[in-house]
Amino acid sequence: MNHTIAEGWSRSTLQNYIRSGLYGRAGTAITNFSEKLSSAQGKLAQEITKDTYDLGFITLSPDYDEADLEDALEQNITRFLLELGTGFAFIGRQKEIVVAGKTRKIDMLFYHIRLKCYVVVELKAVSFEPEFAGKLNFYVNAVNELIRTPDENPTIGLLICKDKEQTEVQWAFQGIQTPIGVASYDNIKLEEIRKQLPTEKQIQQRIELAEEEFNLNRKKRR
């Protein structure tokens, strides 16, 4: 009810959030926000994150990789922004930064209007690995140094991966000074194998092409 009033949700928007189980997912990502941000900032940052993001609005092949995932989210950026929650503004995908003469690229960069800070989002099409936290930490530091202005709040990082194990994530956070969080995603629709196979017409065309090549080669041998 508080979110409905504060964010002006319509009846249909509220119903959609209820069906997607937003109440149980919101504010439950594994983060260090309470330790690395001020009390008010940390509380708000925690509230805007989810333990699991519902990506049921995209369809990918069963063997999709991170680039495929990024492509699909960029093509459905309006839906992705709705899933991220109120206040997110999309800055860009594969945002280029130059550090010590080397070009690096951030998967997706957002700005959160209420938090008044940049949000670095890294996507992984695999389960969480401890080294992912180090890379996210690097990008958050880079945005703070290269993009953030003095009147903006510290940049936060959010890693969204296929799956995670809480103990691994918490241990990976130890020693990291930037505010970061780790969440997972689910419900991606996978293309049916049938759709990935060539059509009957395509198969016939390939057969005809193979026959033409065979006949041409036979004539050359004569």
Side-chain angles (χ1 to χ4, degrees), residues 1 9 12 59 82 92 100 124 132 138 171 179 190:
M1 288 187 293
W9 289 347
S12 60
T59 301
L82 287 173
K124 296 295 180 183
F132 296 163
F138 173 83
W171 286 13
L190 299 180

Side-chain angles (χ1 to χ4, degrees), residues 147-165:
I147 302 177
R148 174 195 170 203
T149 60
D151 59 332
E152 291 172 327
N153 288 315
T155 303
I156 66 175
L158 179 61
L159 173 70
I160 303 178
C161 51
K162 198 169 188 178
D163 197 8
K164 62 187 184 301
E165 203 286 322

Side-chain angles (χ1 to χ4, degrees), residues 10-21:
S10 66
R11 179 186 179 89
S12 60
T13 298
L14 176 60
Q15 290 175 332
N16 288 335
Y17 280 139
I18 291 174
R19 282 195 292 269
S20 70

Side-chain angles (χ1 to χ4, degrees), residues 7 17 48 50 53 80-88 112:
E7 300 178 18
Y17 280 139
I48 69 166
K50 301 174 184 177
Y53 288 87
F80 188 38
L81 285 169
L82 287 173
E83 178 59 17
L84 286 174
T86 304
F88 281 89
H112 197 274

Side-chain angles (χ1 to χ4, degrees), residues 85-98:
T86 304
F88 281 89
F90 182 48
I91 303 299
R93 175 197 169 195
Q94 291 295 301
K95 177 66 176 178
E96 185 176 291
I97 54 175
V98 180

Side-chain angles (χ1 to χ4, degrees), residues 1-2 26 36 40 74 97 101 137 164 167 170 180 183 207 210 217:
M1 288 187 293
N2 289 335
K36 306 304 178 184
E74 185 179 32
I97 54 175
N137 176 60
K164 62 187 184 301
T167 301
Q170 290 175 336
I180 61 175
I207 292 174
N217 291 331

Side-chain angles (χ1 to χ4, degrees), residues 25-85:
R25 296 184 291 123
T28 54
I30 306 173
T31 76
N32 62 3
F33 296 157
S34 62
E35 303 166 15
K36 306 304 178 184
L37 295 170
S38 66
S39 178
Q41 190 82 351
K43 182 179 180 181
L44 180 54
Q46 187 68 51
E47 287 178 356
I48 69 166
T49 58
K50 301 174 184 177
D51 177 65
T52 306
Y53 288 87
D54 186 348
L55 303 186
F57 53 87
I58 62 175
T59 301
L60 296 171
S61 64
D63 59 346
Y64 71 88
D65 58 18
E66 289 162 24
D68 297 326
L69 181 58
E70 285 181 39
D71 282 339
L73 291 177
E74 185 179 32
Q75 291 167 11
N76 294 271
I77 193 60
T78 300
R79 294 289 301 276
F80 188 38
L81 285 169
L82 287 173
E83 178 59 17
L84 286 174

